[in-house]
Amino acid sequence: MILKLFGKMVRNWKAKLISLIIASIFYVNLQNSKVLIKTVNVPIDYPKLSGNLSYSKNPEKTIPVRVEGLKDVVNYYSQFMKAVIDPEDVQLGVTEVPIKKIVGVPSGVKVTKLKKTVPVEIESRGLKVVPIEVVFEGNPPANFEKLTQILSPQKITLSGKPQDLEKINKVVLPEISLVDRKEPFAKTVKIPELPKGVNVLGSRDVTVNVNIIPLSYKTGEQTAAGIPIVCSGLDPKLDAELSEEQVAIRYFSLKPIRSAQILTGITAQVPCNYIFDPIKNKIVPELQPQVAKVRIIKNKDLKGIEILQISPEKIEIRYKVKEQNIDPDNIDEGTGMEGITPHPSDRS
């Protein structure tokens, strides 16, 4: 029995062996067709820099890696892979930073880094606070005049290389036209383009409130609007945000008086008496907002007028601690007469 079975097995053994070899080749080819080896560029995840450090040049965005694994898995997961840089390896100056790991690699996929380091250049940037200046074009109609203007903010903080910041002492806004203006108005103006490498910290929008008044002498009961509110006694470590920046008053005068005299001779004040406690590291008192009564202060030439009404009589004041990442000892506060002027195309 056994001999008969063995005889059948060895019968035409050459043909059977060839068939087995061919089948094995087909099987190996089938399995290999499911395996994919390809080179892909994966994005580099750079750490955010703190303080006054920045990337001085655009660092490389991707590095090449060789990916090996099942075709469908490799094609799908390659888009999620990222090269990660350790923040501790990023230093001031030009350095070759190692790529320590590739994240987003699924199980069963082999990744080989074809580039193990990338050049990174880090520079230290300076900060400088400079005033904002507004320029007006033309004049109001006859019997009207521009009395005052209020800028919010009045200063901005610039960031850039120290040698670039030295050249900037102020920022000049695009011109604002006063032609045909007969009443107070507000206009939002954008900070003009700055030299390459110099950036504005915060918003680039500046609100300009312009007070236009008639040139007339009047007696009796009158009103005046656009009187700026001054925050009196503010702790230098705090910033105060007022719910209203201007007040209007109703007053009575027996003598003829110009509106300009009112707006230049009267000050509206609110007491900003919250303080920052450095020991407790908080604003005292804690309850916000503060409701403060507006006080009108007259100069000696206006002692004879009677203030009938102030609108609003009270305003809200919210306090916040000044930005801690800006060291006042390291900020250059420009006060010179030369600065950045807008390009003609930026004028409005």
Side-chain angles (χ1 to χ4, degrees):
M1 185 71 178
I2 296 176
L3 292 175
K4 288 182 178 181
L5 289 175
F6 180 75
K8 291 181 179 180
M9 290 178 60
V10 298
R11 185 183 303 164
N12 299 323
W13 66 271
K14 292 183 179 180
K16 292 179 180 179
L17 178 60
I18 293 174
S19 298
L20 178 62
I21 294 174
I22 294 174
S24 299
I25 293 174
F26 274 113
Y27 178 80
V28 171
N29 287 337
L30 178 63
Q31 295 302 314
N32 287 340
S33 66
K34 296 181 180 180
V35 175
L36 177 65
I37 301 175
K38 71 174 185 177
T39 299
V40 296
N41 290 318
V42 297
I44 304 173
D45 188 13
Y46 289 96
K48 291 184 178 180
L49 300 178
S50 59
N52 61 340
L53 299 179
S54 67
Y55 295 99
S56 60
K57 295 181 180 178
N58 291 330
E60 296 182 17
K61 296 181 179 180
T62 61
I63 64 163
V65 297
R66 187 171 63 247
V67 185
E68 181 179 353
L70 293 177
K71 182 178 180 180
D72 292 341
V73 176
V74 168
N75 287 335
Y76 179 74
Y77 283 96
S78 294
Q79 60 184 320
F80 304 114
M81 297 179 187
K82 288 194 302 183
V84 176
I85 288 178
D86 192 332
E88 295 183 358
D89 293 331
V90 178
Q91 300 177 2
L92 189 64
V94 181
T95 54
E96 285 288 334
V97 179
I99 302 293
K100 290 191 172 178
K101 61 180 178 178
I102 306 295
V103 297
V105 181
S107 177
V109 174
K110 179 181 178 182
V111 174
T112 304
K113 291 176 286 186
L114 302 180
K115 188 174 183 180
K116 296 184 178 181
T117 64
V118 289
V120 177
E121 184 175 350
I122 305 297
E123 67 178 4
S124 177
R125 299 176 68 83
L127 299 174
K128 185 176 185 180
V129 177
V130 296
I132 303 173
E133 183 177 295
V134 60
V135 178
F136 295 98
E137 179 184 23
N139 296 298
N143 298 322
F144 289 87
E145 69 172 336
K146 180 189 75 67
L147 185 64
T148 58
Q149 70 271 349
I150 301 176
L151 277 65
S152 178
Q154 297 180 349
K155 296 181 179 181
I156 56 172
T157 301
L158 303 179
S159 170
K161 294 181 180 180
Q163 59 268 31
D164 293 333
L165 295 178
E166 287 178 4
K167 304 173 185 177
I168 306 175
N169 294 314
K170 66 180 180 181
V171 171
V172 181
L173 297 177
E175 290 182 351
I176 296 177
S177 176
L178 298 178
V179 177
D180 296 330
R181 295 285 191 176
K182 296 182 179 181
E183 58 186 20
F185 67 94
K187 186 177 179 65
T188 300
V189 185
K190 283 194 175 294
I191 297 292
E193 290 299 321
L194 300 172
K196 186 177 180 180
V198 177
N199 300 313
V200 177
L201 295 187
S203 174
R204 298 181 68 95
D205 291 337
V206 179
T207 302
V208 182
N209 289 279
V210 184
N211 203 358
I212 305 290
I213 63 169
L215 290 170
S216 60
Y217 287 89
K218 294 181 180 180
T219 60
E221 186 176 308
Q222 304 170 58
T223 59
I227 300 173
I229 301 175
V230 178
C231 198
S232 175
L234 179 63
D235 188 325
K237 297 184 181 65
L238 298 177
D239 283 327
E241 180 181 337
L242 309 182
S243 60
E244 300 287 341
E245 295 186 351
Q246 300 177 344
V247 297
I249 62 171
R250 186 163 58 88
Y251 64 95
F252 179 83
S253 176
L254 292 173
K255 297 180 180 180
I257 190 168
R258 287 179 59 189
S259 299
Q261 290 177 266
I262 294 293
L263 295 175
T264 57
I266 284 183
T267 302
Q269 284 189 357
V270 289
C272 297
N273 48 21
Y274 279 37
I275 62 171
F276 176 71
D277 188 336
I279 298 177
K280 297 181 180 180
N281 194 33
K282 65 179 181 178
I283 300 173
V284 179
E286 296 184 37
L287 182 63
Q288 290 205 55
Q290 173 192 2
V291 178
K293 187 175 182 180
V294 180
R295 178 188 177 195
I296 297 296
I297 300 175
K298 303 176 289 186
N299 67 14
K300 61 180 181 179
D301 296 328
L302 299 177
K303 293 296 183 181
I305 72 169
E306 180 184 358
I307 305 297
L308 303 177
Q309 184 182 10
I310 306 171
S311 180
E313 294 183 347
K314 296 180 180 180
I315 67 169
E316 293 183 350
I317 308 172
R318 294 185 180 274
Y319 298 88
K320 65 178 181 179
V321 182
K322 288 186 176 178
E323 294 293 338
Q324 297 299 304
N325 60 341
I326 300 179
D327 186 353
D329 295 333
N330 294 329
I331 296 182
D332 187 4
E333 193 156 331
T335 57
M337 297 303 295
E338 296 182 359
I340 303 301
T341 55
H343 190 276
S345 62
D346 294 330
R347 298 187 177 186
S348 58

